Amino acid sequence: MSHADFETVHVPLAGRAYDIRIGQGLLEDVADHIAPFLKRPKVVIVADESLNMVHLPKLTAALDRAEIEANVLSLPSGEQTKGWAHLTTVVEWLLDNEVERGDLVIAFGGGVIGDLVGFAAAILRRGVRFVQIPSTLLAQVDSSVGGKTGINTRHGKNLVGAFHQPSLVLIDTDLLDTLSERIFLSGYGEVMKYGLLGDAAFFEWLEQNAPAMKNGDVAARTYAIKRSCEMKADIVVGDETEQGDRALLNLGHTFCHALEAATDYRDRLMHGEGVAIGCGLAFDLSARLGHCAQETPSRVRAHLRDMGMKADLSDIDGDLPDADALLALMAQDKKVVQGQLTFILARGIGDAFITRDVPNDVVRQLLTDELARRT
Ligand code: GLY
């Protein structure tokens, strides 16, 4: 029997349904949660090495208590791990460990580990089951849910991958306690995105409660993660392979990807920070095109500033390229179809929509104006 209380979000995909379980201290009960998926008392874990000191020993001790054999491969933190070299390392290591089709692979880390290990599980023996135990807020509310797996290549991020749903997502909110504030807040960019794209009441709740969430309020964290996962699950169930509405989850991401590329994917801008700034720009663009009220972008940015987050281009340190160069980077987005960018715009907070009908000149002028505010 499990000991810790937990919330459940069910993802009812036909033939691939699974639970997302959210609670404090779930790591202690990992054996109970994975027991239904085990054909033999053995698992393999691929973990982010930043978890080696505190959280990985808790996970392996919990498995040991239940007499489940666990072999562990720890990989370096950071986006550079999500490439061909480490994919080969993981797949060969899984084969060295004689992982069979019926076995269970555990991905224990943030988005990099979840995407890499999920992809390795997708291609190993044409698909083995895996469990996500996400260790960052960003992974807990976004990347561990929905089955997008993959790696980066020299041509860009996430260009090689597969849809492969996990068998279970186990979210232990205690793992958030050891994150730096910056990494926590970067994940918060994705939480806020859910309110902005589809739930105005959730955004209002965040305006009231997110500062407590930042300061460690477990109930607020649990609610925000649960609501984010519910929204993601709904969208994924309606459009698993992103033929339509799943693209709503990319609110802020077209701008974000260009800014990440312009800052060389380095410490100057974390992904969730780029998403937050990108959401502000998406609302600016929506206002300029007459889709939403002129004051809505300011409300989005006011909330980001309340949270102590980067809110616009002037918060990015160092040089940025000019508007044309940023537009060129946006044009490399993998959602470009026949040269036309896809944008997620909004009619208001909680009411996003997908469009290709955005004149380049309006985007260029917006970026020119926003870049000018940096000087
Ligand atoms: N992170 C966006 C998606 O899962 O579709």
Side-chain angles (χ1 to χ4, degrees), residues 12 22 64 89 110 123 125 157 182 205 213 215 219 246 250 350-351 373:
I22 308 148
D64 200 41
T89 305
I123 58 176
R125 300 190 193 280
K157 284 182 74 174
R182 188 174 178 203
W205 183 91
M213 194 184 153
N215 294 328
R246 185 162 181 165
N250 296 325
D351 190 8
R373 280 153 38 88

Side-chain angles (χ1 to χ4, degrees), residues 268-279:
R268 284 170 67 196
L269 188 73
M270 298 189 67
H271 177 70
E273 294 172 336
V275 170
I277 293 172
C279 284

Side-chain angles (χ1 to χ4, degrees), residues 141-148 158 163 190 193-194 232 235-236 239-240 242 245-250 253 271 335:
V141 298
D142 184 31
S143 57
S144 71
V145 174
K148 277 190 183 174
N158 298 324
F163 288 98
E190 298 279 1
K193 176 195 79 177
Y194 289 105
K232 179 144 189 186
I235 290 173
V236 167
D239 178 23
E240 184 181 5
E242 200 168 311
D245 274 359
R246 185 162 181 165
L248 289 171
L249 296 170
N250 296 325
H253 283 63
H271 177 70
K335 278 129 199 141

Side-chain angles (χ1 to χ4, degrees), residues 348-362:
I349 285 178
D351 190 8
F353 64 96
I354 303 162
T355 180
R356 292 195 198 288
D357 189 17
V358 176
N360 271 356
D361 285 352
V362 180

Side-chain angles (χ1 to χ4, degrees), residues 85-360:
H86 284 97
L87 179 67
T88 306
T89 305
V90 173
V91 169
E92 295 291 356
W93 180 80
L94 294 173
L95 291 169
D96 289 344
N97 278 274
E98 298 172 353
V99 171
E100 298 173 2
R101 252 232 175 122
D103 286 336
L104 200 62
V105 178
I106 295 179
F108 188 34
V112 165
I113 292 293
D115 286 7
L116 171 73
V117 177
F119 187 40
I123 58 176
L124 186 80
R125 300 190 193 280
R126 298 205 176 92
V128 299
R129 294 162 318 149
F130 79 114
V131 169
Q132 292 269 21
I133 307 185
S135 62
T136 63
L137 182 60
L138 188 139
Q140 294 183 349
V141 298
D142 184 31
S143 57
S144 71
V145 174
K148 277 190 183 174
T149 71
I151 56 168
N152 307 325
T153 83
R154 68 183 170 79
H155 293 280
K157 284 182 74 174
N158 298 324
L159 289 180
V160 173
F163 288 98
H164 186 51
Q165 300 291 341
S167 298
L168 176 70
V169 181
L170 213 51
I171 298 177
D172 184 341
T173 54
D174 280 348
L175 296 178
L176 301 177
D177 294 343
T178 47
L179 297 180
S180 70
E181 182 169 294
R182 188 174 178 203
I183 292 180
F184 180 86
L185 287 177
S186 168
Y188 180 76
E190 298 279 1
V191 174
M192 179 193 73
K193 176 195 79 177
Y194 289 105
L196 293 178
L197 75 87
D199 187 346
F202 182 45
F203 186 75
E204 274 169 39
W205 183 91
L206 289 170
E207 286 177 315
Q208 301 298 319
N209 296 286
M213 194 184 153
K214 172 179 159 182
N215 294 328
D217 184 317
V218 177
R221 286 181 173 186
T222 304
Y223 175 74
I225 294 167
K226 183 179 182 207
R227 184 68 197 122
S228 301
C229 288
E230 279 170 354
M231 291 185 68
K232 179 144 189 186
D234 275 354
I235 290 173
V236 167
V237 167
D239 178 23
E240 184 181 5
T241 57
E242 200 168 311
Q243 307 304 309
D245 274 359
R246 185 162 181 165
L248 289 171
L249 296 170
N250 296 325
L251 177 62
H253 283 63
T254 305
F255 289 109
C256 170
H257 290 155
L259 294 171
E260 282 183 292
T263 51
D264 296 323
Y265 301 98
R266 291 191 197 280
D267 200 42
R268 284 170 67 196
L269 188 73
M270 298 189 67
H271 177 70
E273 294 172 336
V275 170
I277 293 172
C279 284
L281 291 169
F283 274 83
D284 279 331
L285 188 54
S286 303
R288 284 187 184 218
L289 292 168
H291 295 301
C292 77
Q294 295 299 317
E295 56 274 17
T296 311
S298 312
R299 183 173 164 196
V300 175
R301 292 209 170 89
H303 178 53
L304 290 170
R305 297 216 185 282
D306 274 356
M307 293 296 286
M309 293 175 69
K310 292 182 171 56
D312 57 39
L313 297 187
S314 56
D315 295 319
I316 301 174
D317 292 334
D319 293 338
L320 282 179
D322 65 14
D324 279 316
L326 284 174
L327 260 175
L329 290 171
M330 290 165 88
Q332 286 171 17
D333 193 286
K334 62 180 173 304
K335 278 129 199 141
V336 171
V337 178
Q338 289 167 3
Q340 199 64 35
L341 272 166
T342 303
F343 281 92
I344 316 303
L345 299 182
R347 297 180 195 92
I349 285 178
D351 190 8
F353 64 96
I354 303 162
T355 180
R356 292 195 198 288
D357 189 17
V358 176
N360 271 356

